Amino acid sequence: MLFFQSDLAIAQLKLSIQPRSPLEDKLHMATEFWFNRLIEYWTLPQAEQVVDHVRRGNVQIVQIGNFGPDFYSLADDPEIDRFWAGMPLVGIENNLELASSVISQVQDAGARVVGQLSSTLHYGNHETGLGLFGDIWDRIWTPALLGDRPAATAAKIVSLEGSGQPVRKAIKGRPYFSYRGCISNPVWLNTLKAMVRKGIELGLDGFNTTHNYEGFCGCTHCADVIRTHMHRVFSDAELDRLFAGDYASASDVREPVANAPDALKHRYQVILEQAAALRRKNAFDAVFIDYGRSLRSDLLAAQWYHKYGMRVNDERSALSADLWARGEDYIWYSQGPHRWG
């Protein structure tokens, strides 16, 4: 496994062919595979834009398109720039049909095809029924698309404020509002699994998952994860000192009270970030390693991370060494022009 800079689209991979344990068999592909020629298209290209290049350049990996919630939230909307859906056509079925054709032709030309899939991000407006919050939510849950309908609406499985309202953000230049699925919510993870299953049905050889930087939200699922983690690290007395004498009844366990001891508060916040990094890793493993490779044992898996400004930390720097990139087939960091200096 080798670090590489995504903007140069250069990578190299070598997997061990030594005997492995059952766990290692789950975490790694069954055969040795090296590559050092990869090309990436955020928006799915037409076959004529990529196939000849793959043949002439002997390209080994083609990473293309978007097969996650951002795609499904916008694909039917003719008003938005197709870049934001990561697919070039209007309509879910139209894009999936095109994707199946392009994937097959790229594979025939000699490359493996990895699809991009957001772990959290999608667009819409829960107040007006745009994106996954409207009719799209009902229409994607059919046997022809994503299968059985989940037990909750999209508004219940996104990141929530402590009040229970969806967290949303208006970002200049982007469509509508940005929402993030909650990585602690099992229904959200099942939604991602359905999208992984569909991508594999289309012929994808793997996934590079994007937007892997969400922390905990104000929902009860996140609160349960936080409390379970913190009880392993802090004493009950320490936790009560941090939350006005009653940690068990605290309305938001993400933020200690203002007058909590500074050193204890700082330690809690550091441990909270470690817990969030672990939660992200566990969510990735559940969806792509455990579930994805149960459908296809040689499924390629990677995560899209960032090193803007070459700062010391990144979105998974709080992970322990034995978990950092465990089970991934290549490592992808985006390090392009840094707009903040």
Side-chain angles (χ1 to χ4, degrees):
M1 200 182 295
L2 184 70
F3 170 95
F4 74 97
Q5 183 171 320
S6 70
D7 303 288
L8 297 179
I10 298 172
Q12 190 174 43
L13 166 72
K14 185 180 186 298
L15 297 171
S16 172
I17 57 173
Q18 299 300 315
R20 292 187 294 263
S21 69
L23 174 61
E24 289 173 320
D25 282 336
K26 178 189 288 186
L27 294 177
H28 296 288
M29 292 169 52
T31 58
E32 185 180 64
F33 176 50
W34 282 86
F35 70 89
N36 56 16
R37 289 179 300 283
L38 179 152
I39 57 175
E40 188 267 351
Y41 297 78
W42 182 258
T43 302
L44 184 82
Q46 299 285 344
E48 58 268 24
Q49 295 175 298
V50 63
V51 169
D52 186 55
H53 183 41
V54 169
R55 287 200 182 99
R56 291 196 300 147
N58 194 22
V59 175
Q60 297 152 294
I61 294 286
V62 177
Q63 187 175 297
I64 51 175
N66 280 277
F67 297 84
D70 44 353
F71 160 66
Y72 288 98
S73 69
L74 295 176
D76 279 356
D77 189 340
E79 302 299 320
I80 61 99
D81 188 312
R82 307 326 298 168
F83 170 86
W84 297 112
M87 294 289 194
L89 307 179
V90 175
I92 293 172
E93 289 85 354
N94 289 340
N95 281 296
L96 294 182
E97 183 178 355
L98 175 63
S100 179
S101 175
V102 172
I103 291 166
S104 177
Q105 292 181 66
V106 170
Q107 290 166 337
D108 288 344
R112 302 189 191 193
V113 182
V114 172
Q116 289 145 164
L117 193 154
S118 176
S119 64
T120 55
L121 176 68
H122 56 98
Y123 300 99
N125 188 332
H126 73 281
E127 294 177 330
T128 60
L130 288 170
L132 297 181
F133 305 105
D135 294 339
I136 291 174
W137 188 249
D138 289 323
R139 103 167 193 81
I140 62 178
W141 298 107
T142 66
L145 289 175
L146 299 184
D148 295 335
R149 193 180 191 279
T153 64
K156 296 297 185 181
I157 60 176
V158 296
S159 292
L160 301 177
E161 304 282 4
S163 65
Q165 288 297 304
V167 176
R168 68 182 187 183
K169 186 175 183 179
I171 302 176
K172 185 177 180 181
R174 297 192 181 192
Y176 313 126
F177 292 95
S178 296
Y179 293 81
R180 311 283 179 168
C182 175
I183 58 172
S184 298
N185 191 312
V187 180
W188 179 256
L189 297 187
N190 286 338
T191 298
L192 296 179
K193 289 176 184 179
M195 295 173 182
V196 166
R197 183 176 65 247
K198 188 62 181 178
I200 292 174
E201 290 174 1
L202 295 171
L204 287 173
D205 296 297
F207 295 93
N208 188 341
T209 178
T210 60
H211 308 113
N212 305 291
Y213 41 67
E214 291 307 305
F216 294 114
C217 75
C219 77
T220 57
H221 296 286
C222 286
D224 289 344
V225 172
I226 294 169
R227 283 192 167 96
T228 298
H229 190 91
M230 294 304 180
H231 277 300
R232 298 191 190 110
V233 180
F234 295 90
S235 69
D236 290 346
E238 287 174 321
L239 292 171
D240 286 344
R241 289 178 70 194
L242 285 163
F243 289 87
D246 190 359
Y247 185 63
S249 300
S251 59
D252 189 344
V253 291
R254 295 173 296 172
E255 184 60 41
V257 295
N259 62 350
D262 287 341
L264 191 60
K265 182 191 296 186
H266 176 72
R267 181 175 171 226
Y268 187 92
Q269 291 167 335
V270 170
I271 299 298
L272 186 67
E273 181 51 42
Q274 291 174 340
L278 181 60
R279 179 63 250 169
R280 289 191 289 268
K281 174 59 175 168
N282 288 341
F284 175 82
D285 284 357
V287 174
F288 297 93
I289 304 298
D290 297 334
Y291 180 73
R293 288 183 181 160
S294 75
L295 302 179
R296 177 170 177 169
S297 61
D298 64 346
L299 190 74
L300 291 166
Q303 297 188 66
W304 185 310
Y305 283 101
H306 303 86
K307 288 298 293 183
Y308 285 134
M310 292 308 292
R311 61 185 181 226
V312 173
N313 64 304
D314 61 49
E315 298 96 328
R316 61 178 168 193
S317 60
L319 279 180
S320 59
D322 62 315
L323 294 177
W324 195 93
R326 189 186 71 178
E328 295 176 38
D329 295 303
Y330 61 97
I331 297 171
W332 183 285
Y333 273 84
S334 178
Q335 175 58 55
H338 182 49
R339 62 182 173 179
W340 294 286

